[in-house]
Amino acid sequence: MSAKKALITGITGQDGSYLAELLLEKGYEVHGIVRRSSTFGTERISHLYEDPHVQDVRLFLHYGDLCDGAGLRGVLTKVGPDEVYNLGAQSHVRVSFDQPVYSVEAGGVGTLRLLEAIRDTQIGSRFYQASSSEMFGLVAETPQRETTPFHPRSPYACAKAFSYWQTVNYREAYGMFACNGILFNHESPRRGETFVTRKITRAATRIKLGLQDAVYLGNLDAKRDWGYAGDYVEAMWRMLQQDEADDFVIATGETHSVQEFLEETFGCLDLDWRRYVRQDARYLRPAEVDLLLGDASKAKEKLGWQPTTSFKALVRMMVDADMKLARQEAILRKHGAAQ
C-alpha cells in the first residue's frame, strides 16, 4: 500500500515544520509549497534532510504562492495529495495593519484560490484551514468556543474570517471534506522573532549574557491562551482523520498576560523584567484584542485531543533554546573581538 501524500502551504513556518515532522513520522510522503526568494528560508525544516537516521524521508518542496491560482493547480495536479494543510499566510497581526491588502490577498483570497483549485482538479483532497482565535477579536463571550460570533479587529483577522467561511461554504456547497482549526496562540522555539513571545525569550537570554540592554514592547496587559505548537499540529492531523468534516477550537483553556509571560521568562533567568522592558507605542495595534481564552471541549470529546505542555514548560522550553543561541552569539562576538 502506497504512503499517504500530504501537501502543506507554509511548510517553512513554525507550524509547517512541526506538522511535516509529525506526518513523516506517520509514514506520509510530504510535499510543501515555498515562495521563491533570493535567500533560503528553510531553516526550520533543514534538519529533516540532515538527520542521518531519516535518509529515507520523503519530503519534497515546490515553488508556489497563494496569490497564484494557476501555480496552485499545477502543484496539486502534480502531487495529487490525499490531504492539504493550508498554513500559509502573512501571519503577523501588527504587520497586517501596515500591509492590509497583501495580508488579505494571501491569507484570505489565497485560501479561496486553493479551495477552488482542489474542487476544479477533482483530486478529492481532504482540506485543513488554519483559522485563528483572532477572528473572535472583540469577544462576545468568554471562553470562546465554536459557536462564539466573530468580531475581527485586524486585516489579518478579517482575512482569516473570510477563509473560515469559504471553507464552510465549500464543505456545504460541494461536499468537500474541509475543516477549520480555530487555533489559539501557540508558540515554540521555532516561533518567529518578531512575535511577542519569542521576542521576549530571545531578548531575555541576550540580556542575561550582556548582549542586549533592553527590549521594547507594546501592550503588556493583553491576555492570550498560549499553547505549544507541537501539540497543536497533532490536532490538525486528527481533524482530517475523522469520518465527517467539522470545525474545532484548539486551546489550553488558560489565559496569561504579556506581563505574566515576561515575569515567567525573566524569572527563569533570575532577572527582574521591569529593569529591562520599555514600552513603545509603535508596537501598539490600532484596534487591540484584550482577551482570548479558548474552550477546546469539543476537540477533547471528538478528536481525543488535549494539550500536553503547560505554560511554564513552554516558557522554559523557549528560554532554554534561546539561551543556546545567545551563548553561541556570545562566543562568536568574543572570537570576533579577539581577532
Side-chain angles (χ1 to χ4, degrees):
M1 184 176 179
S2 60
K4 274 189 176 182
K5 294 182 182 180
L7 177 65
I8 304 172
T9 71
I11 193 172
T12 58
Q14 170 188 251
D15 293 6
S17 67
Y18 281 112
L19 179 60
E21 282 180 348
L22 176 71
L23 295 177
L24 288 168
E25 289 172 1
K26 292 182 179 296
Y28 279 66
E29 178 179 302
V30 177
H31 296 257
I33 292 180
V34 296
R35 285 176 296 171
R36 173 68 177 89
S37 174
S38 59
T39 58
F40 290 109
T42 56
E43 299 87 357
R44 293 185 179 97
I45 58 173
S46 60
H47 65 286
L48 296 176
Y49 293 104
E50 297 166 357
D51 188 339
H53 301 294
V54 291
Q55 289 301 308
D56 60 341
V57 161
R58 306 197 73 190
L59 175 60
F60 307 91
L61 301 182
H62 309 266
Y63 286 123
D65 197 306
L66 287 168
C67 295
D68 176 12
L72 293 174
R73 280 176 170 79
V75 174
L76 283 166
T77 301
K78 179 180 180 181
V79 174
D82 300 286
E83 299 170 3
V84 174
Y85 296 86
N86 185 32
L87 312 184
Q90 189 299 103
S91 59
H92 198 289
V93 176
R94 180 62 189 84
V95 171
S96 76
F97 285 101
D98 300 322
Q99 292 190 299
V101 175
Y102 174 71
S103 297
V104 172
E105 184 70 24
V109 183
T111 303
L112 178 58
R113 290 191 186 95
L114 189 52
L115 283 164
E116 184 63 8
I118 294 171
R119 185 187 72 85
D120 190 46
T121 55
Q122 298 183 342
I123 57 177
S125 305
R126 293 191 168 202
F127 178 79
Y128 170 84
Q129 168 59 24
S131 291
S132 168
S133 60
E134 288 287 332
M135 300 186 303
F136 295 121
L138 189 63
V139 298
E141 63 178 355
T142 299
Q144 295 86 54
R145 49 185 62 88
E146 291 82 4
T147 55
T148 303
F150 300 147
H151 189 143
R153 304 200 83 198
S154 67
Y156 167 82
C158 289
K160 286 294 186 180
F162 176 87
S163 292
Y164 174 92
W165 286 116
Q166 288 294 356
T167 300
V168 172
N169 181 50
Y170 272 68
R171 182 170 71 221
E172 295 178 351
Y174 303 116
M176 285 178 55
F177 193 106
C179 301
N180 283 289
I182 308 174
L183 271 58
F184 279 64
N185 292 64
H186 45 290
E187 319 298 317
S188 76
R190 300 180 194 172
R191 188 62 141 150
E193 293 184 24
T194 60
F195 291 86
V196 67
T197 52
R198 185 77 196 290
K199 184 177 181 180
I200 290 170
T201 59
R202 190 80 172 96
T205 52
R206 296 185 81 250
I207 288 169
K208 180 69 174 180
L209 298 186
L211 300 171
Q212 185 171 329
D213 297 323
V215 58
Y216 294 84
L217 302 171
N219 181 14
L220 304 187
D221 297 321
K223 293 183 177 181
R224 294 292 184 269
D225 184 328
W226 276 306
Y228 171 49
D231 288 341
Y232 285 34
V233 298
E234 173 78 23
M236 298 178 189
W237 175 77
R238 291 192 182 201
M239 287 181 211
L240 296 197
Q241 312 314 309
Q242 303 303 300
D243 293 332
E244 295 183 2
D246 205 350
D247 309 314
F248 296 89
V249 162
I250 304 300
T252 69
E254 295 182 10
T255 188
H256 300 273
S257 67
V258 175
Q259 181 172 318
E260 287 179 82
F261 199 97
L262 279 167
E263 292 169 350
E264 190 66 30
T265 298
F266 279 79
C268 288
L269 301 167
D270 296 319
L271 296 173
D272 182 353
W273 68 271
R274 288 165 292 193
R275 293 181 55 191
Y276 307 102
V277 174
R278 312 284 185 268
Q279 287 190 274
D280 190 328
R282 290 177 299 174
Y283 298 113
L284 297 174
R285 301 179 186 180
E288 183 58 84
V289 174
D290 297 316
L291 169 66
L292 292 174
L293 175 62
D295 177 1
S297 299
K298 180 178 174 181
K300 182 178 181 180
E301 176 186 350
K302 293 192 174 183
L303 302 179
W305 178 90
Q306 57 185 348
T308 64
T309 308
S310 69
F311 175 72
K312 287 180 178 291
L314 172 62
V315 175
R316 171 55 72 179
M317 179 196 307
M318 295 176 68
V319 169
D320 288 348
D322 279 334
M323 181 54 77
K324 289 181 181 178
L325 291 179
R327 288 190 179 117
Q328 291 171 2
E329 183 181 352
I331 291 170
L332 290 173
R333 184 176 293 193
K334 183 178 180 181
H335 179 72
Q339 289 182 333

